[in-house]
Amino acid sequence: MPEDRLGLFELPTGRTGRFEPARLTQVRARRGISKADLATFVGVSAAAIGQYEAGVNSPRPEVLDRLAEALKVPPQFFGAGRPMARIDAVSAHFRSLRSARVSDRQKALATATFVWELTFALERYVRLPEADLPSLPPGTRPTEAAAVLRRYWGLLDGPVKHLVATAESRGIVVVVRPLHEIDAVDAFSAVIVDRPVIMTTPRRSENVFRHRFSVAHEIGHLLLHGDSGEHSATVEQEADEFAAAFLTPAAAMDAALPQRLDLAALDRLGRTWGVSPKSLVRRMVERGRTSESSARRAYQRLSITDDPRADPTNAYPGEIPSLLKKAAALAGDNGAGLPALAEALKLSPAQVRDLLGDADERPVLRLVNGQG
């Protein structure tokens, strides 16, 4: 009998309930492990892994345990019967399509599905804000969309204070994931079962101005492009135009921008509006206050004088997402702490903490060889 075949009277479930093939695909993609490498670790053929994921065969209990060990999940994770999000690459808006491999995108999407499942689990205990984005007619221009959203969210023409908190209050889940998970694809967004999700990297959140522009860029995708599946430079440019118009409305900029290209003045203005001097230089070009050639010289001067260590905004922790953490804390206060979430997700409490964005700072202890 082949190693991956069940006996005639064996349950096709291992010891954890009915095996869900998509769970194996999901966690393998998130770990970024190929079928061949996983097969080597587990001691079966690569074809067997493919058959498990296709639902042709189910792993035997001992193989299931080895799969769980290799993929660092409890064996119960592979059980069927709990909600699972399924999205594909055409439904997400990736920033770096050219450099990202298919496996990079699958890895990022798998992480996004874990985030959605955590959100869904939390909603069993805590009522999160419903997604609150206006519907726009086809062909809406980015600047028009920015104005519509400002009106819809009741924002005046001034600076948007704490954009991430504003987005979260409107039902958009924002998460910052470790570089090794989504570095190749950079920030991206998707609507997963009616829940808008924006994922960014620490590389963008390290600079609050860049982080705010990145989040605004993704909100632009959610508004303008939905699940169109179109990926192009034009689409990315539209999202940039939306971000600029949303963070720095034209009417307000016409009144606030200096008459000549003054980098010191732009630096002060940028700190008021939460945008970088570089983006304000671009705004000056768009508003007819300076020329492209002057802007290029300004960019060169900014790159020469740029010193992140001397930037006082570095002391600011940034616009850190807090929606999921607060929901988890509220659930915990009402008797549904991390163990309950971990049981719902079939993950370990440490893995749930990781999804919430909490670094596990507990010391790792190991037995000394030969002494136990």
Side-chain angles (χ1 to χ4, degrees), residues 153-317:
W153 281 0
L155 300 172
L156 301 177
D157 281 344
V160 179
K161 296 180 179 178
H162 209 311
L163 176 59
V164 170
T166 301
E168 290 184 320
S169 72
R170 299 293 179 162
I172 300 174
V173 172
V174 183
V175 294
V176 178
R177 295 306 306 169
L179 275 178
H180 66 84
E181 287 188 1
I182 64 170
D183 187 33
V185 298
D186 209 37
F188 73 100
S189 57
V191 177
I192 308 175
V193 196
D194 298 328
R195 176 64 71 181
V197 176
I198 293 175
M199 300 185 68
T200 70
T201 69
R203 187 176 57 209
R204 291 194 172 272
S205 61
E206 284 170 356
N207 181 295
V208 64
F209 298 150
R210 189 179 306 154
H211 185 46
R212 284 167 54 86
F213 193 89
S214 183
V215 171
H217 174 105
E218 297 304 331
I219 293 173
H221 276 314
L222 294 171
L223 264 180
L224 292 166
H225 308 126
D227 55 358
S228 68
E230 180 183 355
H231 302 289
S232 66
T234 300
V235 165
E236 292 304 306
Q237 185 178 352
E238 287 178 352
D240 278 345
E241 290 177 18
F242 170 88
F246 183 71
L247 293 173
T248 52
M253 286 298 99
D254 285 343
L257 286 171
Q259 294 300 318
R260 62 182 180 82
L261 214 166
D262 181 340
L263 292 184
L266 292 181
D267 183 65
R268 292 191 295 273
L269 187 63
R271 293 176 194 283
T272 299
W273 284 81
V275 297
S276 68
K278 184 177 179 180
S279 67
L280 288 177
V281 171
R282 171 49 44 189
R283 214 70 178 112
M284 288 195 70
V285 174
E286 294 167 350
R287 305 310 300 165
R289 298 289 177 91
T290 193
S291 65
E292 288 282 3
S293 58
S294 296
R296 283 194 293 272
R297 289 194 292 274
Y299 295 148
Q300 292 171 352
R301 289 166 56 193
L302 287 171
S303 64
I304 293 172
T305 58
D306 182 40
D307 182 0
R309 294 168 300 180
D311 188 338
T313 61
N314 279 346
Y316 176 56

